[in-house]
């Protein structure tokens, strides 16, 4: 009798564990593709393109001005119109201007990164919130990013850190 009762209990536990495993729902999403298809992303990209073109125009103007000054200097130097002190002075000015152009190129990269961040962050947050909402509404246990396998949503669960630390003596 006891052995039959044990088998019944084991069978019930097995069925319960299989049922709980099969009740878990998993999903995936390609959030990068989603973002590319968002109208807001297309608008943000257009704004970044316009912003970049404005920054590049200023940089091109700086380079053209530098080239004109360099050509004028080279012409004067080749004709012998400048003494050594004047040549050193002009070379120093040109060197400073060249450093300014290089500094501006770095500044452009920083400004573009900041602009992208300011325009993309709200869109990324919007997608994250939507994924979380779908995850909760659809009762998904986990949602993974397609291709990368990165977990983007997980159902709330118990943090067993303290229990594991206790087991290993921490």
């Amino acid at each position: 009798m006891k052995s039959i009762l044990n088998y019944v209990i084991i069978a019930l536990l097995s069925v319960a564990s299989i049922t709980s495993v099969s009740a878990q729902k998993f999903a995936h999403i390609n959030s990068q593709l989603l973002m590319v298809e968002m109208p807001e992303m297309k608008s943000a990209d257009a704004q970044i393109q316009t912003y970049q073109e404005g920054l590049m125009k200023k940089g091109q103007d700086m380079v053209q001005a530098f080239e004109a000054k360099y050509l004028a200097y080279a012409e004067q130097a080749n004709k012998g119109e400048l003494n050594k002190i004047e040549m050193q002075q002009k070379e120093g000015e040109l060197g400073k201007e060249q450093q300014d152009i290089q500094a501006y190129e770095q500044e452009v990269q920083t400004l573009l990164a900041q602009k992208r961040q300011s325009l993309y962050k709200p869109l990324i947050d919007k997608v994250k919130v939507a994924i979380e909402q779908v995850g909760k509404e659809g009762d998904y246990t986990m949602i993974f990013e397609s291709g990368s396998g990165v977990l983007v949503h997980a159902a709330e669960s118990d943090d067993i850190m303290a229990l594991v630390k206790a087991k290993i003596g921490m």
Side-chain angles (χ1 to χ4, degrees), residues 71-85:
L71 291 174
Y73 161 74
E75 186 177 324
Q76 287 178 327
N78 287 336
K79 289 181 180 178
E81 296 175 355
L82 301 172
N83 63 37
K84 282 191 172 200
I85 294 174

Side-chain angles (χ1 to χ4, degrees), residues 38-48 119:
M38 290 174 66
E40 299 99 320
M41 182 61 84
K42 292 174 183 171
S43 173
D45 286 341
Q47 289 179 45
I48 290 168
L119 292 174

Side-chain angles (χ1 to χ4, degrees), residues 9 33 45 73 94 107 113 126 133:
I9 291 173
L33 179 60
D45 286 341
Y73 161 74
L94 290 170
E107 181 183 359
K126 181 179 182 179
Q133 289 173 344

Side-chain angles (χ1 to χ4, degrees), residues 137-149:
E137 292 166 6
D139 200 27
Y140 289 102
T141 305
M142 293 181 193
I143 300 175
F144 294 92
E145 178 64 38
S146 297
S148 68

Side-chain angles (χ1 to χ4, degrees), residues 74-142:
E75 186 177 324
Q76 287 178 327
N78 287 336
K79 289 181 180 178
E81 296 175 355
L82 301 172
N83 63 37
K84 282 191 172 200
I85 294 174
E86 291 172 326
M87 288 176 67
Q88 288 175 344
Q89 182 182 11
K90 295 253 185 201
E91 288 171 4
E93 291 171 4
L94 290 170
K96 166 86 170 80
E97 198 165 329
Q98 193 172 25
Q99 289 174 352
D100 291 346
I101 291 170
Q102 290 171 345
Y104 182 72
E105 289 173 353
Q106 292 175 348
E107 181 183 359
V108 165
Q109 296 305 316
T110 301
L111 291 171
L112 283 173
Q114 290 171 346
K115 185 70 164 181
R116 276 189 200 94
Q117 173 70 14
S118 71
L119 292 174
Y120 289 172
K121 186 173 181 344
L123 303 178
I124 292 168
D125 292 344
K126 181 179 182 179
V127 169
K128 283 182 181 178
V129 167
I131 290 171
E132 286 292 324
Q133 289 173 344
V134 167
K136 289 177 183 174
E137 292 166 6
D139 200 27
Y140 289 102
T141 305
M142 293 181 193

Side-chain angles (χ1 to χ4, degrees), residues 28-76:
H28 62 88
I29 186 168
N30 185 337
S31 59
Q32 290 178 337
L33 179 60
L34 171 66
M35 291 193 64
V36 166
E37 294 175 356
M38 290 174 66
E40 299 99 320
M41 182 61 84
K42 292 174 183 171
S43 173
D45 286 341
Q47 289 179 45
I48 290 168
Q49 182 67 29
T50 301
Y51 184 66
Q52 182 177 6
E53 288 170 0
L55 294 173
M56 297 299 283
K57 174 71 174 113
K58 181 180 175 185
Q60 290 170 346
D61 291 346
M62 291 172 71
V63 168
Q64 287 175 347
F66 171 79
E67 288 174 348
K69 288 179 185 176
Y70 176 77
L71 291 174
Y73 161 74
E75 186 177 324
Q76 287 178 327

